[in-house]
Amino acid sequence: MILLLCLLCFICGEPAWSLEVQEFTVKEDIQQVAVANNNLYVATVKTLYWWVNLTLDKSPKTAQLPSNVIIHMFLFVKNNRLISCGVNEKRKCYCESRDLKNINKVVSSENILMGPQRSSSGSVSFLVDVKKNSGQTETYILTAIKNHRDKTEEDRCGADLKTINLHNADQKQNGGLFSRLDQSGSSPPGIQTEADVDFVDGFQINSTVYLFSNVASGGKTNKVRLIWFQAETSKSDTLKSLRGATLSSSGGEGSRLLASSVVPGGQQVLWSGVFSVDKGGENTELLLFDISPDLSREANTDPDFYTSVNKPNSSSKPKSLEPKAVLFKKKYMNSVLVVKQDNWMVFFIGTSNGQLIKLPVDKNNRPACPKELHRASGKENVFSKILLDPVDHKHIYLIFKNNVVFFSFFHVACTRLHIRVFLSL
């Protein structure tokens, strides 16, 4: 049966691949990775590496970092800035902005907390574009911070952050760079929760912002939550537009979302998630959902997330979303990325024991033959995020503890895939 299935994959025109491997070196454990325009930025404990135009230049440029924990790092391409936040050697919080074309040039630096105080695990951050009444677009930094009711961390930075916040990404915005103030200048808006929340992923498509999390509320078992925002005319209006849904998997209540990737293009907003369906976390499944936002439901009435100072007495039950398809079941899956190849969706799946698997899925959501593309030496874990270059969509980055695997793919007579590996010293 397996041979027959593979033969059918070939006949139906499954994308073909060829592989090539090259090696590059980095030092220390990787903390954060950011990519844009065929440029790769890797932050370790003390060093920022920059590979310029990866197809031509194999020697990274470097800069020293003032931090021993990098919590956030992302690229603000239209402002030519690399923004990073962390905790420095003196155990003080900071955020700084560097020139994308000269990473040793620090444009601005603030002693400020923007995110969790110890680790990026369970928290996410990304840039959000909000259209103003004037027709102009403002870019903010959304931070969604892991929230546990049992507060064991000391507050080293004196910040009054909410669970979800919007920060300025430009010095010219009201309140200055990294400020949470809104246009009115009153207290900064934010979203709060009383539940234990671990955030998994977030992104923006057109005017809608999507945020995924695992939520355990009131001592109940875990549920996987999606909340939507509409990028309105202000920070406050954007956050108050929140609506929510609960995602189902075969594991029922207690299942956890491990990784996430949106399917590019299409009228429907299709999204894939890796779910752990047992208490041990070994058994995992890849599911496909339609997460198109339902704007007919009343905004800001979610039972887990709210914008008021105190939790409202009344709330509405979130919409329940069932998967369109169960695409793949395999142990130890922990990361996923989807790209489009003609009429196929091609899923790149990482595992916690170091595998990279390619899974083609046709337009009817039927998976073809999975194929192992890469296996790490030893027992290296794949990080829960596989990155795609956001501009040319032709480069994929698979992240391990001490190395990054760089994939470049393009169309010729058939689809070809090239790999470059960044190994630790």
Side-chain angles (χ1 to χ4, degrees), residues 211-335:
L211 196 56
F212 298 85
S213 63
N214 293 300
V215 175
S217 181
K220 296 180 181 179
T221 56
N222 183 75
K223 54 187 175 182
V224 179
R225 294 298 318 280
L226 161 64
I227 53 177
W228 299 285
F229 308 101
Q230 295 305 301
E232 303 290 352
T233 57
S234 68
K235 294 176 183 175
S236 179
D237 288 344
T238 296
L239 296 175
K240 287 181 179 179
S241 70
L242 80 93
R243 296 173 174 87
T246 301
L247 306 182
S248 300
S249 72
S250 65
E253 288 194 3
S255 295
R256 291 184 63 84
L257 178 65
L258 304 180
S260 156
S261 180
V262 67
V263 179
Q267 294 183 343
Q268 295 177 313
V269 182
L270 297 181
W271 168 89
S272 63
V274 174
F275 288 75
S276 169
V277 295
D278 64 350
K279 291 183 179 180
E282 295 182 357
N283 295 311
T284 53
E285 60 185 16
L286 177 65
L287 305 180
L288 184 70
F289 285 84
D290 180 355
I291 59 166
S292 303
D294 183 357
L295 304 182
S296 66
R297 302 174 70 90
E298 185 178 357
N300 205 12
T301 59
D302 192 87
D304 297 312
F305 301 95
Y306 51 92
T307 58
S308 57
V309 176
N310 298 310
K311 183 176 182 179
N313 293 326
S314 60
S315 60
S316 61
K317 185 177 181 180
K319 181 178 181 178
S320 180
L321 296 180
E322 300 291 332
K324 290 175 65 69
V326 178
L327 300 178
F328 195 43
K329 291 186 177 184
K330 180 180 173 59
K331 288 189 174 183
Y332 307 120
M333 292 189 293
N334 71 342
S335 57

Side-chain angles (χ1 to χ4, degrees), residues 35-91:
V35 296
N37 297 328
N38 202 18
N39 285 250
L40 170 66
Y41 301 83
V42 175
T44 64
V45 175
K46 296 182 179 179
T47 307
L48 175 63
Y49 294 86
W50 173 27
W51 278 269
V52 186
N53 192 2
L54 286 169
T55 58
L56 300 177
D57 186 355
K58 300 178 183 179
S59 301
K61 301 178 185 297
T62 62
Q64 294 302 115
L65 292 170
S67 175
N68 55 15
V69 177
I70 299 292
I71 295 169
H72 301 298
M73 186 173 76
F74 32 80
L75 308 180
F76 191 7
V77 175
K78 69 180 181 181
N79 269 23
N80 193 36
R81 295 289 181 263
L82 183 150
I83 298 172
S84 62
C85 298
V87 180
N88 63 24
E89 293 179 350
K90 297 181 180 180
R91 299 175 63 81

Side-chain angles (χ1 to χ4, degrees), residues 14-21 337 339 346-350 354-360 369-376 386 396 398 400 405 407 409 415-419 421:
E14 175 196 337
W17 308 82
S18 63
L19 304 177
E20 176 184 306
V21 180
L337 174 72
V339 298
V346 181
F347 292 79
F348 297 92
I349 303 163
Q355 287 180 287
L356 177 66
I357 298 166
K358 179 200 70 170
L359 179 71
C369 304
K371 180 180 179 181
E372 182 182 285
L373 295 180
H374 178 76
R375 181 185 289 268
I386 303 175
I396 293 174
L398 183 66
F400 295 88
V405 182
F407 298 79
F409 63 96
T415 306
R416 291 185 179 177
L417 179 66
H418 293 270
I419 299 179
V421 182

